[in-house]
Amino acid sequence: MDNINQDIVINAPVDEPARQEFYMDRCHELIEEFIIKNGKAPTFHVATFGCQMNAHDSEKLVGILERIGYREVDDEDKADFVIFNTCTVRENANQKLYGHLGSLKKRKQGNKDMLIGICGCMMQQPEIVEHIKEKYRFVDLVFGTFNFYKMAELLYTRLSGNDKQIVEVLSAPEKNVERLPEKRKYNFKSGVNIMYGCNNFCTYCIVPYVRGRERSRTPEDILSEVKCLADQGYVEIMLLGQNVNSYGVNYLEESDIIKQNPDYDFPDLLNDVCKIDGIKRVRFMTSHPKDLSDKLIDVIAENPKVARHIHLPVQSGSSKILKAMNRRYTKEDYMALVDKIRAKLPDVSLTTDIMVGFPGETDEDIQDTIDIVRYAKYDQAFTFIYSVRTGTPAAKMEQLPPELVNERFNKVLEVVRTTCAETSARFVGQTKEVLVECINDHMDGYMTGRMDNNILVHFPGDESLIGSFVQVKLLEARGFYYIGEIA
Ligand code: 5AD
Ligand code: SF4
């Protein structure tokens, strides 16, 4: 902790969320003064990098800022307060942040009211925070993944006259704060956190270090959030966690429900979410192959509300590399799991993450990865070049030459492209239920929707359809998406 004057407002409540409510009110008063002086509300923009978790955290930041009185703008270059919610899973995510900061520096020099905040996974790495403190003094607020709920408190410190850089990053979660404002991006579908952190320690991955130990929210909190969303008209829910299949192993806090029912697991939760009236489609992300149970496959099979889509990151097809990655399954285990899923869910879409260039990988290992891609018949595969993350076990292993890795990456990518395009084209001619999400940016008069298997469909239609389910005939497959027409 650094630079923080904890006693800046003597009578602030100690308990959460009352403390943050208090600071949101204090910030609101300052924003009212700004509006009187300037004749308009200050604007903000939250730029989000990375995964669905970050996207959902950003909705919480937006909720807090709107409650304070800021007005959201889409354009980073027009915002008085820009917040970067960062990702650090690969090095290129870090580089993106520095690019943005560089271009904002000038604008900030010409605008004394402008604020810049950085939060999220990248800020959990002490060397990066040091770098920001040293090289990016013009950044106003720095906070991490464990205290982003405190944004109003930190912002108040800054707005009420402290012109120093405010840095507060915790090394582990202190408390879980529920019931703060959230502004969801859509009003018909939403992510809901079911757990935070990860205990798997895959040897390449930084997530367990920056997101902390795995902790599940109680079923009570999750179900009441989903009920509340259903009451507001939400129809699709995405249950979010780094490894949803180990939901319930470690809880955030003891609650009566847990004491009464210690065996409550992810399939039970999924079942209970599906029972909520008004919710029509339920998704979940991400599944670790080592923990995907028969019970889960059965719950999906028995429950038409659960989307026919499983994101099942394989990372590599080589048992040797999987062992070095600490994934705790072999090529054969993974193939057997795919068979088991397809036997009970014949129409399921499988998607995956693949990594190329892990230390020690050979041409043979790459061939194993290609075998798996062909075997699993993924609808989509996100393919990444392995990126060294400081502090992870793999960072200490002997790294492969980048040229070799690039060459192999292109080879894998080519197989991924052709096989995924073939697989995802299998629905041409069929009529599918589509949840309409938005206006298509590229084709005039077209809307974009999503099938339950997560594949996008673009079809002629109008704005009034957003948020509703329509039957769409799939006319043409174009790699990752379809062109269709309302049936
Ligand atoms: N380098 C490259 N890709 C990574 N991923 C996680 N860590 C790394 C890394 N160090 C990928 C994995 C994971 C996805 C979210 O990001 O494939 O499933
Ligand atoms: Fe990272 Fe592995 Fe945890 Fe996924 S399961 S977040 S890859 S450590």
Side-chain angles (χ1 to χ4, degrees), residues 64-129:
I64 294 171
L65 287 168
E66 289 204 339
R67 164 76 185 279
I68 287 173
Y70 277 90
R71 188 170 60 79
E72 187 174 21
V73 287
D74 288 339
D75 187 352
E76 179 180 310
D77 293 330
K78 298 212 167 83
D80 299 313
F81 185 10
V82 181
I83 301 183
F84 297 100
N85 190 2
T86 60
C87 169
T88 190
V89 79
R90 286 170 289 276
E91 184 57 29
N92 54 6
N94 291 28
Q95 293 315 323
K96 265 196 214 160
L97 173 73
Y98 295 129
H100 280 263
L101 288 180
S103 60
L104 279 187
K105 185 176 178 183
K106 251 214 193 92
R107 189 156 76 82
K108 184 153 193 225
Q109 282 162 348
N111 178 356
K112 66 175 176 35
D113 287 327
M114 191 183 166
L115 292 177
I116 300 175
I118 320 180
C119 63
C121 294
M122 222 174 130
M123 298 304 109
Q124 290 301 136
Q125 294 167 283
E127 67 281 6
I128 290 184
V129 173

Side-chain angles (χ1 to χ4, degrees), residues 149-361:
Y149 67 88
K150 271 179 87 171
M151 183 178 56
E153 182 172 345
L154 303 175
L155 179 62
Y156 183 75
T157 317
R158 185 75 179 80
L159 290 179
S160 58
N162 183 342
D163 61 1
K164 292 215 186 88
Q165 190 175 54
I166 312 277
V167 181
E168 188 186 294
V169 178
L170 309 178
S171 54
E174 260 178 0
K175 51 186 125 185
N176 175 49
V177 178
E178 298 270 338
R179 286 176 282 279
L180 282 173
E182 283 178 39
K183 165 87 182 289
R184 317 227 177 209
K185 185 171 171 202
Y186 300 99
N187 60 9
F188 53 90
K189 69 165 195 169
S190 177
V192 170
N193 290 117
I194 65 165
M195 60 208 297
Y196 305 100
C198 181
N199 280 358
N200 285 316
F201 289 97
C202 300
T203 55
Y204 51 80
C205 185
I206 198 144
V207 169
Y209 306 89
V210 297
R211 288 263 172 190
R213 291 295 63 68
E214 182 184 287
R215 52 222 186 270
S216 298
R217 287 176 76 201
T218 64
E220 205 177 26
D221 280 338
I222 297 166
L223 294 171
S224 81
E225 182 175 343
V226 177
K227 274 192 197 111
C228 184
L229 289 167
D231 289 344
Q232 293 167 52
Y234 284 78
V235 289
E236 184 180 296
I237 296 297
M238 162 92 87
L239 303 174
L240 294 172
Q242 300 294 348
N243 179 13
V244 293
N245 298 322
S246 63
Y247 172 79
V249 176
N250 311 287
Y251 278 100
L252 274 163
E253 291 140 26
E254 288 298 302
S255 87
D256 289 342
I257 287 191
I258 295 148
K259 282 183 198 131
Q260 283 158 20
N261 189 0
D263 298 326
Y264 193 92
D265 60 9
F266 180 62
D268 295 324
L269 178 72
L270 191 58
N271 231 336
D272 282 346
V273 169
C274 289
K275 283 185 202 144
I276 296 174
D277 283 342
I279 298 301
K280 301 210 169 71
R281 212 187 241 179
V282 185
R283 305 182 175 283
F284 55 88
M285 183 94 108
T286 292
S287 286
H288 194 303
K290 77 175 165 57
D291 298 321
L292 197 145
S293 65
D294 293 358
K295 182 172 165 186
L296 177 64
I297 302 174
D298 289 338
V299 166
I300 303 173
E302 286 156 16
N303 220 315
K305 283 190 185 179
V306 183
R308 265 42 194 161
H309 169 224
I310 303 179
H311 184 62
L312 198 61
V314 65
Q315 313 300 358
S316 165
S318 152
S319 298
K320 178 194 94 190
I321 294 295
L322 288 167
K323 190 160 197 305
M325 289 175 164
N326 191 32
R327 292 290 290 175
R328 287 174 273 174
Y329 54 84
T330 61
K331 179 184 188 185
E332 291 70 31
D333 295 336
Y334 189 93
M335 286 171 152
L337 181 60
V338 168
D339 291 344
K340 203 156 61 174
I341 294 172
R342 292 219 185 269
K344 287 204 174 145
L345 302 166
D347 54 346
V348 78
S349 282
L350 293 179
T351 57
T352 201
D353 295 339
I354 293 170
M355 207 183 296
V356 176
F358 187 83
E361 196 172 48

Side-chain angles (χ1 to χ4, degrees), residues 354 356 366-381 383 407-423 480:
I354 293 170
V356 176
I366 291 289
Q367 195 48 51
D368 282 328
T369 298
I370 290 174
D371 289 349
I372 284 265
V373 169
R374 297 214 164 103
Y375 189 84
K377 297 195 164 45
Y378 299 112
D379 277 273
Q380 209 171 354
T383 312
E407 202 181 292
R408 288 173 175 172
F409 176 80
N410 289 334
K411 190 171 157 192
V412 173
L413 196 62
E414 192 44 42
V415 179
V416 162
R417 275 211 190 107
T418 45
T419 54
C420 292
E422 255 171 54
T423 308
F480 297 177

